[in-house]
């Protein structure tokens, strides 16, 4: 039975996956800075700060595969992103190599490519267009993943997650929504599929308004069950409560693009076409 380590176990995704994963991976080790408040007596937990290599090595001991959800999960101060995502991301891959872990699934983000406009359908092979310091840290994580696959033989899967949750929250999320059970499918492909070397998937359910080409995930067996359009009324009602955001409404990354934006808001450009 493989031992699977899940970092970020106390976070939003971790809390949801703690309920969905045990039937599939009964030997599940959870980690985060602090234990989840509702940790059950059957759950195994070891605290670790990703920024501390020795602590990360300790949680990788005896592990076969890692679901890496730990990290700073939104735009924020450079030092926080540096510690948790850049140093922390590097430490995770390096500790995994040292401890002989075979597979890593890395939670990347749509914000690695957030400055593509919404009318531009993109695959997983486009040049990175991060929309934030946070997005830059996800591009870094994907690059470290490629290095550790090509040089050290780890099987690495990066999932550029759209927006995880029970339903799409607004107009933008109708295109990028990811149902929890569909994320579990993508994690299983990353951990178990025999053909994994280095893969990038988009973490999105079956959304009619998708702006991503996710065919590689489907080739490897992904069959999402979530359909964004089933929640169209709810998402549009929520959208109606939001203020117009000319920059965020144009680009895929939404508000991550418009925050701290210094360009001309009346002349928004598809820079990726130049
Ligand atoms: N929720 C979403 O829709 C999306 C999430 N992601 C990524 O998925 C992952 C999980 O996301 P969420 O659960 O929503 O985030 P979250 O912020 O709820 O959880 C992240 C967890 O990482 C832990 N963490 C942060 N710094 C750490 C450190 N230095 N050492 C150890 N643990 C640390 C936090 O304590 C927290 O429990 C993140 O990497 C995020 O960037 C990507 C795209 C969308
Ligand atoms: O773009 C989005 O909606 C999501 O992207 C992310 O990378 C963040 O971790 C999440 O908090 C956002 O809600």
């Amino acid at each position: 039975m493989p031992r699977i380590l899940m970092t970020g176990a106390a976070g939003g995704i971790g809390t949801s996956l703690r309920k969905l994963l045990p039937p599939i991976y009964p030997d599940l080790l959870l980690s985060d800075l602090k234990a989840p408040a509702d940790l059950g007596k059957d759950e195994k937990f070891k605290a670790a700060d990703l920024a501390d290599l020795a602590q990360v090595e300790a949680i990788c001991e005896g592990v076969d595969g890692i679901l890496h959800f730990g990290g700073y999960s939104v735009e924020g101060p450079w030092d926080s992103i540096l510690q948790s995502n850049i140093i922390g991301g590097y430490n995770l891959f390096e500790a995994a190599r040292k401890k002989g872990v075979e597979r890593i699934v890395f939670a990347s983000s749509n914000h690695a490519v957030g400055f593509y406009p919404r009318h531009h359908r993109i695959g997983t092979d486009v040049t990175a267009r991060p929309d934030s310091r946070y997005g830059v840290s996800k591009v870094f994580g994907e690059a470290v993943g490629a290095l550790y696959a090509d040089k050290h033989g780890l099987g690495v899967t990066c999932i550029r997650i759209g927006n995880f949750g029970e339903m799409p929250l607004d107009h933008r999320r109708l295109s990028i929504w990811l149902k929890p059970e569909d994320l579990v499918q993508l994690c299983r492909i990353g951990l178990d599929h025999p053909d994994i070397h280095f893969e990038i998937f988009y973490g999105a359910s079956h959304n009619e308004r998708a702006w991503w080409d996710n065919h590689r995930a489907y080739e490897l067996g992904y069959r999402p069950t979530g359909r964004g359009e089933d929640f169209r009324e709810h998402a549009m009602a929520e959208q109606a409560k939001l203020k117009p955001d000319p920059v965020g409404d144009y680009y895929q990354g939404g508000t991550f693009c418009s925050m701290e934006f210094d360009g001309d808001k009346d002349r928004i450009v598809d820079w990726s076409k130049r």
Side-chain angles (χ1 to χ4, degrees):
M1 190 192 341
R3 166 161 279 208
I4 305 301
L5 164 68
M6 180 168 75
T7 66
I13 291 183
T15 299
S16 169
L17 263 50
R18 275 171 54 211
K19 299 182 181 73
L20 298 176
L21 291 174
I24 308 163
Y25 302 110
D27 192 2
L28 186 65
L29 173 62
L30 308 174
S31 185
D32 204 303
L33 286 169
K34 285 189 191 147
D38 61 345
L39 190 74
K41 61 174 174 21
D42 296 333
E43 291 184 301
K44 289 187 281 287
F45 178 85
K46 272 191 201 171
D49 183 346
L50 291 162
D52 182 322
L53 181 60
Q55 292 184 29
V56 185
E57 284 180 19
I59 55 170
C60 288
E61 196 72 63
V63 163
D64 301 294
I66 301 176
L67 298 173
H68 183 41
F69 292 109
Y72 203 87
S73 64
V74 288
E75 180 60 320
W78 170 242
D79 194 55
S80 307
I81 288 172
L82 174 67
Q83 296 304 324
S84 292
N85 295 10
I86 303 281
I87 297 173
Y90 174 79
N91 285 347
L92 195 277
F93 282 97
E94 176 60 5
R97 180 192 69 78
K98 284 189 173 169
K99 297 294 177 185
V101 177
E102 288 172 14
R103 293 286 177 102
I104 297 186
V105 174
F106 166 59
S108 183
S109 169
N110 70 90
H111 297 291
V113 289
F115 263 121
Y116 283 95
R118 296 186 187 187
H119 60 259
H120 191 150
R121 186 174 171 84
I122 58 171
T124 53
D125 56 349
V126 291
T127 304
R129 287 282 180 173
D131 57 24
S132 47
R133 292 173 290 280
Y134 166 68
V136 169
S137 76
K138 294 300 185 182
V139 177
F140 173 83
E142 291 185 8
V144 178
L147 173 69
Y148 275 70
D150 293 344
K151 188 165 274 191
H152 303 300
L154 273 80
V156 177
T157 300
C158 302
I159 307 178
R160 287 182 187 160
I161 302 172
N163 188 236
F164 174 93
E166 292 303 323
M167 64 182 76
L169 300 175
D170 54 24
H171 178 245
R172 174 175 165 268
R173 268 63 168 259
L174 281 172
S175 299
I176 68 167
W177 174 58
L178 177 62
K179 179 178 163 174
E181 288 79 3
D182 292 342
L183 176 58
V184 170
Q185 274 196 48
L186 292 170
C187 290
R188 292 184 77 168
I189 294 170
L191 290 175
D192 300 335
H193 197 289
D195 295 340
I196 301 291
H197 172 71
F198 176 74
E199 299 289 348
I200 299 176
F201 302 149
Y202 284 106
S205 291
H206 179 83
N207 302 324
E208 269 177 40
R209 302 169 195 234
W211 47 59
W212 299 325
D213 174 357
N214 206 14
H215 75 271
R216 182 62 179 150
Y218 286 78
E219 267 171 26
L220 295 179
Y222 182 46
R223 298 291 177 269
T225 60
R227 305 179 81 84
E229 287 306 303
D230 290 350
F231 302 94
R232 182 164 43 91
E233 265 178 44
H234 166 80
M236 296 313 269
E238 290 302 306
Q239 181 67 33
K241 297 178 191 163
L242 303 173
K243 283 197 191 127
D245 172 1
V247 174
D249 292 344
Y250 178 80
Y251 294 110
Q252 296 187 5
T255 55
F256 284 59
C257 297
S258 49
M259 63 177 77
E260 302 176 34
F261 185 80
D262 288 324
D264 183 350
K265 294 190 181 63
D266 298 320
R267 204 179 135 266
I268 299 165
V269 175
D270 179 359
W271 295 110
S272 67
K273 282 271 194 267
R274 300 257 167 137

